[in-house]
Amino acid sequence: MTPLDNQQLFLDSAREWLKTSVPERWRQERGALSEDEIVEIRHEWDRQLFAGGYSGLAIPTMYGGQGMGLREEVLFHEAAAQAHAPEGIGRIGKILTVPTLVAHGSEEQRAKYIPGIMAGTEVWCQAFSEPGAGSDLANVAAFARKTEGGYLVTGQKIWTSFAQYAERAILLARTSHTDPRYRNLSFFLLDMKQPGITLRTIRQISDTSHFSEVFMDSAFVADSDRVGEEGEGWNIAMTTLTSERGGVEAITRYVEVRGDLDTLMRCCATSSDIDTEVKQLDTRLELVRWQVMKALDYVEEDLEFFRRTCMLKIMWSELWQEVTQLAVSLNCRAHQEHWRNQYLETRAVSIYSGSNEIQRNIIGDRVLGLPR
Ligand SMILES: Cc1cc2nc3c(=O)[nH]c(=O)nc-3n(C[C@H](O)[C@H](O)[C@H](O)COP(=O)(O)OP(=O)(O)OC[C@H]3O[C@@H](n4cnc5c(N)ncnc54)[C@H](O)[C@@H]3O)c2cc1C
């Protein structure tokens, strides 16, 4: 059997599994579910993925993953999105924490934390952004003061997705007032359920509230929960952020934009005036998928893979905003509520995981080598 035959077999059985496993309630009544019900289904979905053998497809088996490649992971995410599967609430753990621990964590940290993430029993959040440190992430001010056996962390984080459901956070905090920028930060694994943590939920423009402000007042982190050495936090965070903007996210969003664009083409875009515009959106969207699949040929070559994936976030997020904007402007009666929600939800896609302006700076700097 060739690798292609194996991939097809894998995909066929994944599609079969998805057909019978995606919760009927999610498929049929998603729009009518409360936020709590959605969270419960997303929680349960993580456990189902694990039981079905689809959790951590690209994670080595020694850490509780399936030991396959990123291609299988991407193909599965595409099939799952096409089957209208929920997104697991554990995605930050899987997409951010696990790759970071595999690259930089100690054996003890990997053994302690990865199995819970794989099994869907521990939810993680990402406590990086602060009121004064978003695009300028190196400006993080939350301070981790050395104490016996660990650190006491004091400061504020903001926009922390899923903080209210999370057992733990990956945390970027300052550990020195004197070391130079980029060498004064450290990377920690923070227990979110301790008394030193207070949350304040933020309500979004779309009326959902999936993220929070996180206040840390002498929150304790043990030495054994510092990833890497003191002062290495910036470099470790770069591994986390590169994972966040990669192919798995892009293929999932590709399918979501595909769904919206198909709805637009089928029901709303009846006028020939906008035919060309819609066709252009369609072609640009297929380019996103093509770019993801092409990048997978270079998965073993770090720099080339980075070059080929770093524009994906800009491509799919701008496209999605254009699709929802066009849909709203057409005032399609049949899907008015859907488009109103999608229009509001997609305002955030060019901001999260690092804004598109910053991503363009990264491309200018690290891919094109443009002068500053
Ligand atoms: C839905 C959502 C979920 C999020 N989830 C998380 C999370 O779980 N954890 C987490 O840590 N963070 C999270 N974030 C925060 C996100 O990473 C930041 O919002 C983002 O990095 C931008 O930072 P900021 O909001 O501070 O904006 P600012 O940094 O203040 O930027 C404001 C504007 O100025 C532009 N700008 C700033 N600097 C430059 C520059 N040098 N060149 C060009 N333009 C520039 C930006 O592009 C932006 O348009 C989330 C954000 C959103 C919207």
Side-chain angles (χ1 to χ4, degrees), residues 33-54:
L33 297 172
S34 71
E35 225 170 314
D36 285 346
E37 289 170 320
I38 289 174
V39 167
E40 187 39 48
I41 289 177
R42 293 182 67 177
H43 237 127
E44 182 52 30
W45 183 244
D46 278 329
R47 295 189 278 263
Q48 275 179 263
L49 285 175
F50 181 67
Y54 292 103

PDB file of all heavy atoms in Angstrom, residues 33-54:
ATOM      1  N   LEU A  33     -28.948  26.511  21.140  1.00  0.00           N
ATOM      2  CA  LEU A  33     -28.317  26.063  22.388  1.00  0.00           C
ATOM      3  C   LEU A  33     -27.809  27.244  23.202  1.00  0.00           C
ATOM      4  O   LEU A  33     -27.341  28.249  22.641  1.00  0.00           O
ATOM      5  CB  LEU A  33     -27.131  25.130  22.074  1.00  0.00           C
ATOM      6  CG  LEU A  33     -27.462  23.814  21.361  1.00  0.00           C
ATOM      7  CD1 LEU A  33     -26.179  23.104  20.935  1.00  0.00           C
ATOM      8  CD2 LEU A  33     -28.296  22.921  22.272  1.00  0.00           C
ATOM      9  N   SER A  34     -27.864  27.105  24.545  1.00  0.00           N
ATOM     10  CA  SER A  34     -27.317  28.156  25.413  1.00  0.00           C
ATOM     11  C   SER A  34     -25.793  28.021  25.437  1.00  0.00           C
ATOM     12  O   SER A  34     -25.242  26.979  25.045  1.00  0.00           O
ATOM     13  CB  SER A  34     -27.862  28.010  26.825  1.00  0.00           C
ATOM     14  OG  SER A  34     -27.297  26.867  27.424  1.00  0.00           O
ATOM     15  N   GLU A  35     -25.123  29.070  25.943  1.00  0.00           N
ATOM     16  CA  GLU A  35     -23.660  29.029  25.991  1.00  0.00           C
ATOM     17  C   GLU A  35     -23.177  27.843  26.848  1.00  0.00           C
ATOM     18  O   GLU A  35     -22.218  27.165  26.492  1.00  0.00           O
ATOM     19  CB  GLU A  35     -23.135  30.349  26.566  1.00  0.00           C
ATOM     20  CG  GLU A  35     -21.982  30.869  25.750  1.00  0.00           C
ATOM     21  CD  GLU A  35     -21.590  32.286  26.119  1.00  0.00           C
ATOM     22  OE1 GLU A  35     -22.488  33.137  26.248  1.00  0.00           O
ATOM     23  OE2 GLU A  35     -20.385  32.525  26.282  1.00  0.00           O
ATOM     24  N   ASP A  36     -23.876  27.586  27.975  1.00  0.00           N
ATOM     25  CA  ASP A  36     -23.486  26.467  28.842  1.00  0.00           C
ATOM     26  C   ASP A  36     -23.641  25.125  28.131  1.00  0.00           C
ATOM     27  O   ASP A  36     -22.802  24.235  28.269  1.00  0.00           O
ATOM     28  CB  ASP A  36     -24.332  26.446  30.128  1.00  0.00           C
ATOM     29  CG  ASP A  36     -23.877  27.547  31.085  1.00  0.00           C
ATOM     30  OD1 ASP A  36     -22.791  28.111  30.859  1.00  0.00           O
ATOM     31  OD2 ASP A  36     -24.627  27.840  32.042  1.00  0.00           O
ATOM     32  N   GLU A  37     -24.735  24.993  27.388  1.00  0.00           N
ATOM     33  CA  GLU A  37     -24.952  23.734  26.655  1.00  0.00           C
ATOM     34  C   GLU A  37     -23.874  23.534  25.593  1.00  0.00           C
ATOM     35  O   GLU A  37     -23.364  22.431  25.402  1.00  0.00           O
ATOM     36  CB  GLU A  37     -26.339  23.732  26.002  1.00  0.00           C
ATOM     37  CG  GLU A  37     -27.474  23.596  27.010  1.00  0.00           C
ATOM     38  CD  GLU A  37     -28.842  23.834  26.377  1.00  0.00           C
ATOM     39  OE1 GLU A  37     -28.972  24.756  25.531  1.00  0.00           O
ATOM     40  OE2 GLU A  37     -29.772  23.116  26.750  1.00  0.00           O
ATOM     41  N   ILE A  38     -23.498  24.636  24.937  1.00  0.00           N
ATOM     42  CA  ILE A  38     -22.451  24.550  23.909  1.00  0.00           C
ATOM     43  C   ILE A  38     -21.142  24.089  24.541  1.00  0.00           C
ATOM     44  O   ILE A  38     -20.457  23.195  24.033  1.00  0.00           O
ATOM     45  CB  ILE A  38     -22.277  25.921  23.198  1.00  0.00           C
ATOM     46  CG1 ILE A  38     -23.489  26.199  22.317  1.00  0.00           C
ATOM     47  CG2 ILE A  38     -20.987  25.957  22.380  1.00  0.00           C
ATOM     48  CD1 ILE A  38     -23.523  27.564  21.684  1.00  0.00           C
ATOM     49  N   VAL A  39     -20.815  24.673  25.687  1.00  0.00           N
ATOM     50  CA  VAL A  39     -19.570  24.306  26.366  1.00  0.00           C
ATOM     51  C   VAL A  39     -19.591  22.837  26.769  1.00  0.00           C
ATOM     52  O   VAL A  39     -18.606  22.108  26.585  1.00  0.00           O
ATOM     53  CB  VAL A  39     -19.334  25.219  27.598  1.00  0.00           C
ATOM     54  CG1 VAL A  39     -18.230  24.670  28.484  1.00  0.00           C
ATOM     55  CG2 VAL A  39     -18.987  26.627  27.135  1.00  0.00           C
ATOM     56  N   GLU A  40     -20.723  22.357  27.262  1.00  0.00           N
ATOM     57  CA  GLU A  40     -20.819  20.953  27.680  1.00  0.00           C
ATOM     58  C   GLU A  40     -20.612  20.021  26.483  1.00  0.00           C
ATOM     59  O   GLU A  40     -19.890  19.026  26.554  1.00  0.00           O
ATOM     60  CB  GLU A  40     -22.175  20.707  28.368  1.00  0.00           C
ATOM     61  CG  GLU A  40     -22.331  19.334  29.001  1.00  0.00           C
ATOM     62  CD  GLU A  40     -21.049  18.813  29.686  1.00  0.00           C
ATOM     63  OE1 GLU A  40     -20.438  19.557  30.450  1.00  0.00           O
ATOM     64  OE2 GLU A  40     -20.656  17.638  29.418  1.00  0.00           O
ATOM     65  N   ILE A  41     -21.227  20.383  25.351  1.00  0.00           N
ATOM     66  CA  ILE A  41     -21.070  19.539  24.147  1.00  0.00           C
ATOM     67  C   ILE A  41     -19.608  19.565  23.685  1.00  0.00           C
ATOM     68  O   ILE A  41     -19.039  18.534  23.304  1.00  0.00           O
ATOM     69  CB  ILE A  41     -22.032  20.021  23.024  1.00  0.00           C
ATOM     70  CG1 ILE A  41     -23.471  19.668  23.422  1.00  0.00           C
ATOM     71  CG2 ILE A  41     -21.671  19.391  21.687  1.00  0.00           C
ATOM     72  CD1 ILE A  41     -24.527  20.151  22.458  1.00  0.00           C
ATOM     73  N   ARG A  42     -18.979  20.734  23.751  1.00  0.00           N
ATOM     74  CA  ARG A  42     -17.575  20.835  23.319  1.00  0.00           C
ATOM     75  C   ARG A  42     -16.659  20.034  24.237  1.00  0.00           C
ATOM     76  O   ARG A  42     -15.682  19.448  23.786  1.00  0.00           O
ATOM     77  CB  ARG A  42     -17.157  22.310  23.271  1.00  0.00           C
ATOM     78  CG  ARG A  42     -17.883  23.084  22.178  1.00  0.00           C
ATOM     79  CD  ARG A  42     -17.438  24.515  22.097  1.00  0.00           C
ATOM     80  NE  ARG A  42     -16.056  24.621  21.653  1.00  0.00           N
ATOM     81  CZ  ARG A  42     -15.431  25.766  21.432  1.00  0.00           C
ATOM     82  NH1 ARG A  42     -16.075  26.906  21.600  1.00  0.00           N
ATOM     83  NH2 ARG A  42     -14.182  25.786  21.045  1.00  0.00           N
ATOM     84  N   HIS A  43     -16.990  20.021  25.532  1.00  0.00           N
ATOM     85  CA  HIS A  43     -16.253  19.223  26.506  1.00  0.00           C
ATOM     86  C   HIS A  43     -16.362  17.733  26.163  1.00  0.00           C
ATOM     87  O   HIS A  43     -15.387  17.009  26.096  1.00  0.00           O
ATOM     88  CB  HIS A  43     -16.903  19.436  27.887  1.00  0.00           C
ATOM     89  CG  HIS A  43     -15.938  19.936  28.894  1.00  0.00           C
ATOM     90  ND1 HIS A  43     -16.147  21.046  29.644  1.00  0.00           N
ATOM     91  CD2 HIS A  43     -14.747  19.473  29.297  1.00  0.00           C
ATOM     92  CE1 HIS A  43     -15.139  21.250  30.451  1.00  0.00           C
ATOM     93  NE2 HIS A  43     -14.273  20.305  30.259  1.00  0.00           N
ATOM     94  N   GLU A  44     -17.608  17.322  25.976  1.00  0.00           N
ATOM     95  CA  GLU A  44     -17.898  15.917  25.689  1.00  0.00           C
ATOM     96  C   GLU A  44     -17.234  15.484  24.379  1.00  0.00           C
ATOM     97  O   GLU A  44     -16.747  14.362  24.243  1.00  0.00           O
ATOM     98  CB  GLU A  44     -19.426  15.723  25.635  1.00  0.00           C
ATOM     99  CG  GLU A  44     -19.909  14.312  25.403  1.00  0.00           C
ATOM    100  CD  GLU A  44     -19.319  13.279  26.364  1.00  0.00           C
ATOM    101  OE1 GLU A  44     -19.013  13.646  27.509  1.00  0.00           O
ATOM    102  OE2 GLU A  44     -19.154  12.109  25.940  1.00  0.00           O
ATOM    103  N   TRP A  45     -17.194  16.421  23.419  1.00  0.00           N
ATOM    104  CA  TRP A  45     -16.582  16.095  22.132  1.00  0.00           C
ATOM    105  C   TRP A  45     -15.097  15.739  22.283  1.00  0.00           C
ATOM    106  O   TRP A  45     -14.605  14.796  21.659  1.00  0.00           O
ATOM    107  CB  TRP A  45     -16.769  17.250  21.146  1.00  0.00           C
ATOM    108  CG  TRP A  45     -16.232  16.949  19.776  1.00  0.00           C
ATOM    109  CD1 TRP A  45     -15.205  17.580  19.133  1.00  0.00           C
ATOM    110  CD2 TRP A  45     -16.694  15.925  18.880  1.00  0.00           C
ATOM    111  NE1 TRP A  45     -14.997  17.022  17.894  1.00  0.00           N
ATOM    112  CE2 TRP A  45     -15.903  15.998  17.723  1.00  0.00           C
ATOM    113  CE3 TRP A  45     -17.698  14.957  18.948  1.00  0.00           C
ATOM    114  CZ2 TRP A  45     -16.070  15.141  16.634  1.00  0.00           C
ATOM    115  CZ3 TRP A  45     -17.863  14.094  17.864  1.00  0.00           C
ATOM    116  CH2 TRP A  45     -17.065  14.196  16.726  1.00  0.00           C
ATOM    117  N   ASP A  46     -14.404  16.442  23.169  1.00  0.00           N
ATOM    118  CA  ASP A  46     -12.994  16.107  23.426  1.00  0.00           C
ATOM    119  C   ASP A  46     -12.869  14.674  23.926  1.00  0.00           C
ATOM    120  O   ASP A  46     -11.967  13.941  23.527  1.00  0.00           O
ATOM    121  CB  ASP A  46     -12.402  17.058  24.478  1.00  0.00           C
ATOM    122  CG  ASP A  46     -11.961  18.375  23.861  1.00  0.00           C
ATOM    123  OD1 ASP A  46     -11.567  18.383  22.687  1.00  0.00           O
ATOM    124  OD2 ASP A  46     -12.034  19.398  24.566  1.00  0.00           O
ATOM    125  N   ARG A  47     -13.780  14.296  24.815  1.00  0.00           N
ATOM    126  CA  ARG A  47     -13.712  12.926  25.365  1.00  0.00           C
ATOM    127  C   ARG A  47     -14.038  11.900  24.275  1.00  0.00           C
ATOM    128  O   ARG A  47     -13.417  10.839  24.205  1.00  0.00           O
ATOM    129  CB  ARG A  47     -14.655  12.804  26.574  1.00  0.00           C
ATOM    130  CG  ARG A  47     -14.186  13.699  27.746  1.00  0.00           C
ATOM    131  CD  ARG A  47     -14.960  13.444  29.019  1.00  0.00           C
ATOM    132  NE  ARG A  47     -16.231  14.133  29.062  1.00  0.00           N
ATOM    133  CZ  ARG A  47     -16.439  15.311  29.685  1.00  0.00           C
ATOM    134  NH1 ARG A  47     -15.459  15.915  30.328  1.00  0.00           N
ATOM    135  NH2 ARG A  47     -17.620  15.877  29.686  1.00  0.00           N
ATOM    136  N   GLN A  48     -14.980  12.250  23.395  1.00  0.00           N
ATOM    137  CA  GLN A  48     -15.318  11.332  22.295  1.00  0.00           C
ATOM    138  C   GLN A  48     -14.138  11.164  21.335  1.00  0.00           C
ATOM    139  O   GLN A  48     -13.859  10.061  20.880  1.00  0.00           O
ATOM    140  CB  GLN A  48     -16.507  11.884  21.502  1.00  0.00           C
ATOM    141  CG  GLN A  48     -17.854  11.520  22.085  1.00  0.00           C
ATOM    142  CD  GLN A  48     -18.959  12.142  21.250  1.00  0.00           C
ATOM    143  OE1 GLN A  48     -19.461  13.209  21.603  1.00  0.00           O
ATOM    144  NE2 GLN A  48     -19.350  11.532  20.146  1.00  0.00           N
ATOM    145  N   LEU A  49     -13.462  12.278  21.041  1.00  0.00           N
ATOM    146  CA  LEU A  49     -12.299  12.212  20.130  1.00  0.00           C
ATOM    147  C   LEU A  49     -11.257  11.259  20.697  1.00  0.00           C
ATOM    148  O   LEU A  49     -10.674  10.446  19.982  1.00  0.00           O
ATOM    149  CB  LEU A  49     -11.665  13.603  19.970  1.00  0.00           C
ATOM    150  CG  LEU A  49     -12.392  14.611  19.097  1.00  0.00           C
ATOM    151  CD1 LEU A  49     -11.681  15.962  19.161  1.00  0.00           C
ATOM    152  CD2 LEU A  49     -12.446  14.139  17.643  1.00  0.00           C
ATOM    153  N   PHE A  50     -11.051  11.359  22.008  1.00  0.00           N
ATOM    154  CA  PHE A  50     -10.041  10.512  22.652  1.00  0.00           C
ATOM    155  C   PHE A  50     -10.463   9.038  22.578  1.00  0.00           C
ATOM    156  O   PHE A  50      -9.686   8.173  22.176  1.00  0.00           O
ATOM    157  CB  PHE A  50      -9.858  10.958  24.104  1.00  0.00           C
ATOM    158  CG  PHE A  50      -8.818  10.165  24.834  1.00  0.00           C
ATOM    159  CD1 PHE A  50      -7.479  10.254  24.468  1.00  0.00           C
ATOM    160  CD2 PHE A  50      -9.172   9.323  25.882  1.00  0.00           C
ATOM    161  CE1 PHE A  50      -6.507   9.526  25.137  1.00  0.00           C
ATOM    162  CE2 PHE A  50      -8.207   8.594  26.555  1.00  0.00           C
ATOM    163  CZ  PHE A  50      -6.874   8.690  26.182  1.00  0.00           C
ATOM    164  N   ALA A  51     -11.720   8.799  22.929  1.00  0.00           N
ATOM    165  CA  ALA A  51     -12.206   7.408  22.916  1.00  0.00           C
ATOM    166  C   ALA A  51     -12.155   6.829  21.499  1.00  0.00           C
ATOM    167  O   ALA A  51     -11.887   5.641  21.318  1.00  0.00           O
ATOM    168  CB  ALA A  51     -13.633   7.362  23.474  1.00  0.00           C
ATOM    169  N   GLY A  52     -12.399   7.683  20.497  1.00  0.00           N
ATOM    170  CA  GLY A  52     -12.398   7.204  19.114  1.00  0.00           C
ATOM    171  C   GLY A  52     -10.999   7.081  18.519  1.00  0.00           C
ATOM    172  O   GLY A  52     -10.839   6.610  17.399  1.00  0.00           O
ATOM    173  N   GLY A  53      -9.976   7.555  19.250  1.00  0.00           N
ATOM    174  CA  GLY A  53      -8.598   7.477  18.738  1.00  0.00           C
ATOM    175  C   GLY A  53      -8.246   8.630  17.807  1.00  0.00           C
ATOM    176  O   GLY A  53      -7.337   8.520  16.986  1.00  0.00           O
ATOM    177  N   TYR A  54      -8.967   9.760  17.929  1.00  0.00           N
ATOM    178  CA  TYR A  54      -8.692  10.898  17.044  1.00  0.00           C
ATOM    179  C   TYR A  54      -8.139  12.115  17.789  1.00  0.00           C
ATOM    180  O   TYR A  54      -8.116  13.214  17.258  1.00  0.00           O
ATOM    181  CB  TYR A  54      -9.969  11.289  16.280  1.00  0.00           C
ATOM    182  CG  TYR A  54     -10.377  10.222  15.296  1.00  0.00           C
ATOM    183  CD1 TYR A  54     -11.433   9.356  15.568  1.00  0.00           C
ATOM    184  CD2 TYR A  54      -9.670  10.052  14.111  1.00  0.00           C
ATOM    185  CE1 TYR A  54     -11.787   8.350  14.680  1.00  0.00           C
ATOM    186  CE2 TYR A  54     -10.013   9.058  13.213  1.00  0.00           C
ATOM    187  CZ  TYR A  54     -11.072   8.216  13.504  1.00  0.00           C
ATOM    188  OH  TYR A  54     -11.404   7.220  12.621  1.00  0.00           O
TER     189      TYR A  54
END
